[in-house]
């Protein structure tokens, strides 16, 4: 697909999703790309597979998935992040005037922290709606304010070290900041275009591998009749090799 060009900056839409993984293990605490099984952080870094402890993005989409990644996660809730990196090592692997649509998952404690930020946006929107005299339907008002929050800010996802019952681990803290320069302004415009395309059914922010994973999870948790219907879907048949 042709890149999105905005104000002299270019943003690539990959044919296959540009996937990263937030490795929150005690020996990592960084974003990674590619296969790192059997590696520690040092080996992964030497192999060129690490992408730093934070990324700042113009957000395109945030979605929810129920996924299984055995042996550690079975039918668990994940949040799917899609955005255009503007700072951090995901960005610095590109020329200063370009970036690409990228995605990663967060879950558990990291997911809760993002939900807390979104809840703050909702509370602010509700207060503003009442202050302005409740001029329109609240759902419509809240949707408009949410859109403003997404497309007037840069989102930062950063690893934070913690100590638990089993030792050191990491989770992702989500925060926002204002747009700081012309490149970020262009990235946000491109992110809005990607979001609007998705609303029209032009699916940029779709990872088919995760769609199929979720269909399997839903089939396993369904009633017998529902399971038969899901199991007959093309995606499930493809996974099973039928």
């Amino acid at each position: 697909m042709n890149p999105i060009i905005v104000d002299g900056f270019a943003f690539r839409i990959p044919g296959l999703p540009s996937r990263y993984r937030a490795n929150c293990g005690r020996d990592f605490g960084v974003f990674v790309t590619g296969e790192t099984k059997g590696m520690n952080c040092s080996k992964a870094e030497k192999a060129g597979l690490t992408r730093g402890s934070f990324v700042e993005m113009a957000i395109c989409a945030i979605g929810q998935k129920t996924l299984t990644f055995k042996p550690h996660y079975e039918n668990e809730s994940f949040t799917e992040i899609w955005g255009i990196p503007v700072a951090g090592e995901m960005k610095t692997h590109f020329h200063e005037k370009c970036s690409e649509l990228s995605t990663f998952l967060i879950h558990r404690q990291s997911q809760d922290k993002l939900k807390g930020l979104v809840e703050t946006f909702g509370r602010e929107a509700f207060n503003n709606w009442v202050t302005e005299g409740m001029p329109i339907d609240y759902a419509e008002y809240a949707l408009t304010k949410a859109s403003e929050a997404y497309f007037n800010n840069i989102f930062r996802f950063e690893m934070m070290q913690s100590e638990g019952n089993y030792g050191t681990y990491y989770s992702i803290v989500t925060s926002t900041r204002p747009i700081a320069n012309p490149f970020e302004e262009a990235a946000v415009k491109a992110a809005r275009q990607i979001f609007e395309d998705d609303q029209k059914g032009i699916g940029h922010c779709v990872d088919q591998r995760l769609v199929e994973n979720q269909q399997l999870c839903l089939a396993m948790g369904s009633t017998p009749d529902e399971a038969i219907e899901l199991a007959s879907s093309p995606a499930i048949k493809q996974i099973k090799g039928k």
Side-chain angles (χ1 to χ4, degrees):
M1 176 177 178
N2 290 331
I4 297 173
I5 299 174
V6 180
D7 301 334
F9 300 99
F11 303 98
R12 181 173 178 264
I13 309 296
L16 291 174
S18 180
R19 304 182 185 102
Y20 296 90
R21 187 169 73 260
N23 191 323
C24 295
R26 69 185 68 183
D27 297 325
F28 277 83
V30 296
F31 290 93
V32 297
T33 182
E35 181 54 65
T36 59
K37 187 176 181 179
M39 296 183 181
N40 59 25
C41 189
S42 177
K43 289 182 178 179
E45 184 176 7
K46 288 178 181 177
L49 301 178
T50 63
R51 292 295 184 270
S53 62
F54 80 94
V55 61
E56 294 184 350
M57 308 178 99
I59 289 296
C60 305
I62 297 177
Q64 303 301 319
K65 289 281 191 297
T66 299
L67 302 169
T68 291
F69 300 107
K70 292 184 177 180
H72 301 296
Y73 313 111
E74 187 162 351
N75 284 10
E76 284 204 26
S77 172
F78 285 79
T79 297
E80 188 179 17
I81 308 294
W82 292 84
I84 298 172
V86 299
E89 291 186 25
M90 288 186 203
K91 166 64 182 80
T92 55
H93 276 69
F94 289 88
H95 186 279
E96 63 181 9
K97 296 190 70 174
C98 69
S99 188
E100 75 173 2
L101 178 65
S102 303
T103 184
F104 60 91
L105 297 169
I106 59 177
H107 72 296
R108 294 181 180 173
Q109 190 172 335
S110 302
Q111 192 177 37
D112 291 342
K113 289 173 182 176
L114 175 60
K115 288 178 180 177
L117 178 63
V118 173
E119 181 63 23
T120 299
F121 290 157
R123 190 176 299 112
E124 291 174 354
F126 179 72
N127 275 325
N128 290 337
W129 178 65
V130 174
T131 300
E132 295 173 16
M134 296 177 278
I136 58 174
D137 177 73
Y138 176 66
E140 180 183 348
Y141 184 92
L143 182 62
T144 299
K145 288 297 181 182
S147 177
E148 290 176 4
Y150 285 129
F151 300 120
N152 286 300
N153 287 286
I154 297 298
F155 281 66
R156 181 181 177 95
F157 302 91
E158 184 170 15
M159 296 284 182
M160 180 181 72
Q161 181 176 312
S162 300
E163 296 293 330
N165 294 334
Y166 300 99
T168 301
Y169 70 96
Y170 293 85
S171 60
I172 296 175
V173 176
T174 307
S175 59
T176 61
R177 65 167 175 81
I179 298 165
N181 55 53
F183 174 75
E184 292 178 0
E185 185 73 42
V188 169
K189 290 178 181 177
R192 184 187 288 272
Q193 182 175 328
I194 291 168
F195 169 80
E196 291 174 350
D197 281 351
D198 276 14
Q199 297 302 299
K200 298 172 184 174
I202 306 171
H204 302 306
C205 299
V206 177
D207 186 338
Q208 193 60 33
R209 183 180 68 175
L210 296 186
V211 172
E212 294 166 355
N213 186 316
Q214 177 166 259
Q215 286 181 318
L216 282 173
C217 291
L218 295 176
M220 286 186 286
S222 301
T223 65
D225 287 344
E226 290 171 334
I228 291 171
E229 182 179 351
L230 282 165
S232 66
S233 72
I236 299 300
K237 287 182 176 180
Q238 184 177 9
I239 294 171
K240 293 180 177 180
K242 294 183 178 180

